[in-house]
Amino acid sequence: MLQKLKSTLLSLLTLSGACCAGQALADEVQVAVASNFSAPMERIAADFARDTGHRALLSFGATGKLYAQIKNGAPFGVFLAADAKTPARLVTEGDAVADSSFTYAFGHLVLWSAQEGTVHDQGAVLKTGDFGHLAIANPKTAPYGAAAVEVLTKMDLLERLQPRFVTGENIGQAHQFVASGNAALGFVALSQVVVDGQLTGGSAWMVPTNLYRPIQQDAVILQQAADNPAALALADYLKGAAARGIMLTYGYSFAEGAGLCLRGSTLQPSC
Amino acid sequence: MLEGIDLAAILLTLKLAVTTTLILLLVGTPIAWWLARTRSRWKGVVGALVALPLVLPPTVLGFYLLVSLGPHGPIGQFTQWLGIGLLPFTFAGLVVGSVFYSLPFVVQPLQNAFTASGERPLEVAATLGAGPWDRFFTVALPLARPGFITAAILGFAHTVGEFGVVLMIGGNIPERTRVVSVAIYDHVEALEYAEAHLLAGGMLVFSFLVLLALYSRNARPWT
């Protein structure tokens, strides 16, 4: 009886393997995406499917967490990180295809409140301390969280404001803490509060780039997808005009030190 | 090896579990008593509401708590009106979440204990002239003692094991909302496996010992 069950299971497994292995791997790729890039990536993946026929399955999380998952055998084919360090490390450690990493965008950090009139230029509210909680992403695993800590250190406010920190598991949760009003302020990614070049609500201060190292976001093809056409196609697609057009509307730029700035609630190419 | 922060997480977890258990015993006893004795048609509804946290993902509870305790939610507006401020990201907020989350683990053993001791001892006490409060405190409560011990242990252990709700409404603040389960998650995410092992192993041993105490004391843990 048990023997029979086992052989049935085995044959079922072989069948399902035979039917789908070749095809599914050829036009499907699992993509690990840093949380800050989740909104644009969903749109890019939709266009990618329409334009190429390949399917990209997206998983979001903090860069450091996705790194840990990849090191533990997560079945990702492409990794879109929120820094350059982590993809480089995966290449060095042999988990990613050598020479496959490229910069897909530069991200920007903003101080944001869901309330209008709370955040002004120069982030004055941070100095007055006239707020409750300050949300950041976990600096250990999220590059945007590390950038926020860097900004506060440079402004000499870290020690004073640390007791007000609420730490999101990733930048998505940090944003959610502020959006729900539970935290008065938060350091989030520009892409989370901007759509089509307009601030979606509340008030924001684009942190000047001299207060933190540029957030260079690199992507890399992982070893297990070295021969996956969908992974290669996605990497190409991310460098193309269609994807970049979408990234632009979310406030990403493609060169270090691009002088983006917020005038009122409109994103401008320079101040 | 146990850093200050992890030690703080352990103390905080114990404090949260003790506070939650005490509140649950106070709140859960009248609910369990009512459920055990009522013939009301609302019994099914209340019983189902109490049992909900057994089947709901913690994310559902965490989401609703975050929204309702927040500045735009009904409870959030009430607490602000009272002058307490907002509960998310505070120890009090975690207590509120844990009370909901562990409610069935306290109410159900108590209800079973009250049901098991039956009407008879109470009727006898009544014929001997005991009033309703007297009957409750001197007859029903002592008879349900094993149920109270089970309820307290399960409520305590389940609160120690809480994760999802705390992750969603806690904000991961050292010494205030970073409990052991969240600290473990943090260590694992940051690939700090040595620290994660220490805390996770500690949790495993602790939980086993608690359940061992429970099951050795009583062959039928739910009564």
Side-chain angles (χ1 to χ4, degrees):
Chain A
M1 175 65 201
L2 210 65
Q3 199 56 41
K4 199 176 161 195
L5 188 72
K6 201 171 143 192
S7 66
T8 319
L9 274 176
L10 271 177
S11 58
L12 270 175
L13 276 175
T14 337
L15 259 179
S16 64
C19 94
C20 312
Q23 209 189 350
L25 284 177
D27 59 6
E28 193 172 283
V29 57
Q30 293 193 43
V31 190
V33 184
S35 301
N36 77 88
F37 202 62
S38 54
M41 192 56 200
E42 271 172 0
R43 283 175 60 179
I44 292 170
D47 287 3
F48 174 67
R50 191 196 58 208
D51 293 349
T52 66
H54 295 308
R55 221 156 76 91
L57 303 173
L58 311 178
S59 304
F60 306 107
T63 296
K65 169 184 170 168
L66 294 170
Y67 168 81
Q69 291 181 347
I70 290 164
K71 292 303 283 182
N72 284 291
F76 297 123
V78 177
F79 178 27
L80 276 66
D83 63 5
K85 209 172 56 190
T86 312
R89 198 165 152 197
L90 285 168
V91 169
T92 323
E93 292 167 349
D95 298 293
V97 177
D99 305 327
S100 71
S101 84
F102 64 96
T103 303
Y104 62 95
F106 285 88
H108 302 272
L109 188 69
V110 291
L111 179 69
W112 180 63
S113 164
Q115 298 275 330
E116 276 176 40
T118 303
V119 179
H120 301 283
D121 283 347
Q122 268 65 59
V125 61
L126 289 175
K127 285 175 194 140
T128 61
D130 196 13
F131 59 93
H133 292 288
L134 174 66
I136 64 166
N138 187 345
K140 268 196 208 168
T141 51
Y144 280 84
V149 169
E150 198 182 331
V151 169
L152 291 174
T153 311
K154 284 233 174 88
M155 293 176 82
D156 211 13
L157 289 170
L158 185 64
E159 223 163 287
R160 216 168 88 205
L161 294 182
Q162 207 148 24
R164 313 261 196 107
F165 279 7
V166 285
T167 310
E169 210 236 298
N170 54 55
I171 197 75
Q173 200 188 16
H175 174 255
Q176 178 259 110
F177 283 160
V178 184
S180 64
N182 283 304
L185 294 177
F187 280 104
V188 300
L190 179 64
S191 54
Q192 294 176 302
V193 294
V194 158
V195 170
D196 294 331
Q198 290 285 329
L199 195 64
T200 48
S203 47
W205 169 52
M206 259 195 85
V207 183
T209 41
N210 59 347
L211 289 178
Y212 63 99
R213 270 162 292 170
I215 303 178
Q216 178 187 338
Q217 306 197 183
D218 281 8
V220 78
I221 295 175
L222 298 164
Q223 212 58 265
Q224 54 209 357
D227 305 318
N228 180 344
L232 305 174
L234 181 66
D236 278 341
Y237 197 81
L238 282 166
K239 298 171 193 162
R244 287 198 161 189
I246 292 174
M247 292 183 216
L248 263 183
T249 66
Y250 283 95
Y252 288 97
S253 46
F254 308 105
E256 195 177 322
L260 276 181
C261 101
L262 265 177
R263 261 296 147 68
S265 61
T266 308
L267 203 60
Q268 307 213 323
S270 66
C271 293
Chain B
M1 187 139 155
L2 255 190
E3 283 177 68
I5 286 180
D6 284 343
L7 205 61
I10 293 172
L11 290 177
L12 181 75
T13 306
L14 295 176
K15 186 174 142 198
L16 177 67
V18 169
T19 314
T20 303
T21 308
L22 290 178
I23 292 176
L24 273 175
L25 288 175
L26 283 176
V27 175
T29 304
I31 299 176
W33 177 250
W34 183 82
L35 281 172
R37 302 179 49 83
T38 186
R39 290 194 182 84
S40 158
R41 60 201 174 95
W42 293 100
K43 178 178 174 169
V45 177
V46 175
L49 281 175
V50 167
L52 266 183
L54 287 175
V55 295
L56 279 181
T59 41
V60 173
L61 203 53
F63 169 58
Y64 283 134
L65 281 171
L66 195 71
V67 172
S68 57
L69 299 179
H72 312 298
I75 306 176
Q77 294 194 334
F78 181 65
T79 53
Q80 279 177 309
W81 178 78
L82 286 177
I84 309 172
L86 292 171
L87 290 178
F89 315 134
T90 64
F91 180 73
L94 291 197
V95 172
V96 171
S98 306
V99 163
F100 281 111
Y101 183 62
S102 296
L103 188 65
F105 290 83
V106 170
V107 169
Q108 292 191 348
L110 291 181
Q111 183 187 343
N112 292 341
F114 287 139
T115 308
S117 50
E119 294 281 323
R120 189 78 191 129
L122 297 170
E123 286 165 8
V124 171
T127 54
L128 292 174
W133 288 102
D134 202 12
R135 270 176 282 160
F136 179 74
F137 282 106
T138 59
V139 180
L141 279 193
L143 279 176
R145 208 176 83 99
F148 273 93
I149 295 174
T150 305
I153 293 178
L154 283 178
F156 182 85
H158 192 246
T159 307
V160 167
E162 183 176 338
F163 172 67
V165 175
V166 181
L167 190 74
M168 288 182 78
I169 65 167
N172 201 353
I173 306 171
E175 294 174 35
R176 272 158 54 198
T177 61
R178 182 183 294 158
V179 297
V180 171
S181 58
V182 173
I184 292 173
Y185 184 67
D186 258 15
H187 285 315
V188 174
E189 282 208 321
L191 291 178
E192 296 163 348
Y193 285 177
E195 290 87 345
H197 268 308
L198 199 66
L199 282 179
M203 274 290 241
L204 191 68
V205 171
F206 172 79
S207 304
F208 175 75
L209 290 178
V210 167
L211 290 180
L212 183 69
L214 181 67
Y215 283 85
S216 324
R217 187 189 61 80
N218 190 336
R220 294 174 300 153
W222 290 97
T223 58

